Each structure stands twice: as C-alpha cells, then as structure tokens.
Amino acid sequence: MLTILLPFLLLQGCNGVIYKFNSSAYYHMPALYSLDEYERCLSDAGGTFCLIDLDLFSDQPSELMRYIHEYSADTKKHFNHTQIHRGVCVTQSCSFLNYSVWDLNTTLEACVNDTIWRNYKVQARLNNINYCYNADDRGGLDTSDLAVIIIYMILIAVNVVGSLYDVLFCHPSSKSGNPYVLSFSLRRNWAKLVSPAGIGPDPRLERLKSFQGLRALTMACVIFSHVALAMGHSYLRNPDFIEKSLEDPSKQILLNGNLVTHTFFVMSAFLLAYNFQ
C-alpha cells in the first residue's frame, strides 16, 4: 500500500505551491493593499481618488513572480497576491503624469506601474476601477441615504408611540392594551431583557435556564466570526496576520464561529418539541 501511495505523495509535494514564507521573504512581495489618504486627497480642489485592482506580471523571467504565483496557489489559506489593490489619489500620487491629457485608465496604470517597477522589477496591469470620487462630487444625499434615513425615522417614531402608549394607557403588570403596539415599548422590552431566566407562567421554564448561557456563548462566537470575516474582506495593513491565523489552533473558534449557528437550529427544534409535550 505504501508503494502505491508514495508516488502520489511525492507528486503532491512537487506541485509548485509555497505554503509558508518567513517574514522577510513575505515583504519582498508588493503590498497586497495600499491606500492614499482619502480626506486629504479630496480636500484639494479637483482632487480625484480611485480604488483600483491591478494584476502583477512580468514580460521576462522573474523569480519574484514565480514566488508570488506559487504562494498564491494555496487558495485555502493565502490571499491572491498576483492581484494588488490600491486606493490612489490621482492628483497627488500621479502628479508626475499629465493625467489631464491621458485617459484615467492609462494614467492609473502608469502611475502604479511606475512604483511597482522601481521597487520590485515587475509590472502591474489595470484590471478594474471600483470607483473614482472627485472633490466636486462630495456632499449631498443620494437615494440610498434618504431611504435609510426614512427607515430609521419610522423605527424611532414607532418606538416612541409604543412607549408612550405603554406609559400613559397601560399598567406595567397588566396584559391590557394592544400587543402589537406594546411590542415596540421600550419599558416592556427592557423589563423582558433584564428579567431573570426561568421566571414565567410556565413552571417548565426553570428547567431551561441553561439555554440562556448556551445562547450567550453562541452569540459571542457568531459575533467573533463576523469580525474575523470583516477583517478578511477589508483593506489590511498586515494581511499576513490573517493568513497565519488560519493555521493557529487558538483562533479556529473565531474563524469558524459561523458553524456554531447550527446550535440555534438544534435549540429551536428542541424547544419546539418541548413546547408540544
């Protein structure tokens, strides 16, 4: 059996994938993310800020590009370092180019490519412009801003109406009043939030007090998981920290907290069956 498996193991180890870099070798690659100062850029008259993606390549044999491709081949744990992401203040970082004559795509590619070539001797090709903001475009509310404002105002108004209705027309200990309006009462919701577990009209609630602890732990894991998810999809100064965290056993519960949400389904099914007993 070992004789049969040995060729496959050898081939797997020679597939041109770099699983680990030391810190010095890692920083020989172009930075995965880099952002110019957004506010300072748009504070200038005519300032233009663009968020772009660029693909690295080399027209001639390059040891660095080979390392970048082999390191990025481990797609489960590493970012794609063959594509870099930049936030460029065109009017400041690209001032050495006559961008008023060139089109924006050519200007952005030439601007970033100049820095990449001087520092790393590889080239960068513009892949995508996510957006470009001009200083003259700032200010004002768009349709999505107005929609969010309206939704928040409605929610605040409903909570105010529900709370006033509860305070003026209902007694805290009674069940009188419109239950739909009272569901937005701050007083009643706060009382339910801080009430001890196991207290209620059903004596069986005492047996389910431990569920409160399970829910708290589960929610904490879900929050940690979403924080880690946001970190992995944002512009990071040190993306190598995220890559190394995937191999750190102590961080697995944070990186895989989304799996803990399955406990919600288990608890819901249990409580549903328990309620019908």
Side-chain angles (χ1 to χ4, degrees):
M1 179 63 69
L2 182 60
T3 306
I4 298 174
L5 293 177
L6 186 59
F8 293 98
L9 295 175
L10 291 175
L11 287 174
Q12 186 177 5
C14 301
N15 58 0
V17 178
I18 297 177
Y19 294 100
K20 285 186 179 180
F21 261 158
N22 58 44
S23 297
S24 60
Y26 186 91
Y27 289 106
H28 278 88
M29 297 188 296
L32 185 62
Y33 302 105
S34 180
L35 295 172
D36 292 340
E37 291 194 29
Y38 178 82
E39 293 294 337
R40 178 182 294 181
C41 179
L42 296 190
S43 64
D44 296 337
T48 302
F49 185 93
C50 295
L51 197 69
I52 60 176
D53 305 322
L54 304 105
D55 295 324
L56 298 177
F57 71 99
S58 179
D59 291 330
Q60 54 191 3
S62 170
E63 193 73 8
L64 177 60
M65 278 306 305
R66 184 176 69 84
Y67 284 144
I68 293 175
H69 278 288
E70 292 179 356
Y71 186 77
S72 302
D74 185 9
T75 56
K76 293 182 179 179
K77 297 180 180 179
H78 297 160
F79 291 102
N80 179 16
H81 288 263
T82 64
Q83 185 176 92
I84 58 176
H85 312 275
R86 295 291 183 267
V88 181
C89 181
V90 184
T91 47
Q92 293 180 4
S93 299
C94 308
S95 57
F96 63 94
L97 297 171
N98 189 1
Y99 60 87
S100 61
V101 177
W102 293 9
D103 66 276
L104 186 60
N105 290 23
T106 306
T107 301
L108 287 168
E109 182 173 305
C111 179
V112 178
N113 200 28
D114 177 74
T115 304
I116 296 297
W117 175 255
R118 280 191 288 107
N119 295 332
Y120 303 100
K121 301 305 178 185
V122 295
Q123 296 171 272
R125 181 187 297 112
L126 182 65
N127 178 282
N128 180 50
I129 298 179
N130 295 296
Y131 63 76
C132 281
Y133 288 154
N134 189 277
D136 300 330
D137 299 332
R138 302 187 72 188
L141 300 175
D142 57 18
T143 305
S144 58
D145 294 329
L146 293 175
V148 171
I149 292 174
I150 292 173
I151 292 172
Y152 274 111
M153 294 299 293
I154 292 174
L155 291 174
I156 293 173
V158 170
N159 278 273
V160 170
V161 171
S163 300
L164 290 176
Y165 176 77
D166 184 21
V167 172
L168 298 177
F169 301 103
C170 303
H171 193 273
S173 59
S174 68
K175 294 185 178 181
S176 61
N178 189 312
Y180 300 104
V181 179
L182 290 175
S183 63
F184 293 95
S185 169
L186 295 178
R187 182 174 69 171
R188 300 227 172 182
N189 283 290
W190 177 256
K192 291 180 181 179
L193 184 64
V194 299
S195 62
I199 295 179
D202 191 345
R204 298 184 302 170
L205 292 175
E206 181 68 23
R207 306 175 187 174
L208 305 176
K209 292 173 63 175
S210 59
F211 269 64
Q212 304 295 339
L214 291 175
R215 289 171 59 194
L217 292 174
T218 302
M219 285 188 290
C221 290
V222 171
I223 292 172
F224 289 152
S225 176
H226 282 83
V227 171
L229 182 66
M231 290 174 59
H233 289 80
S234 57
Y235 277 52
L236 304 171
R237 185 179 295 273
N238 55 339
D240 57 315
F241 175 79
I242 300 296
E243 294 175 340
K244 293 177 181 177
S245 297
L246 295 172
E247 299 180 353
D248 187 350
S250 65
K251 296 184 176 66
Q252 294 308 306
I253 191 171
L254 304 181
L255 299 172
N256 297 283
N258 57 328
L259 298 177
V260 184
T261 56
H262 296 173
T263 59
F264 283 124
F265 299 106
V266 176
M267 286 191 292
S268 298
F270 172 80
L271 293 174
L272 183 63
Y274 189 78
N275 188 50
F276 281 109
Q277 284 185 348

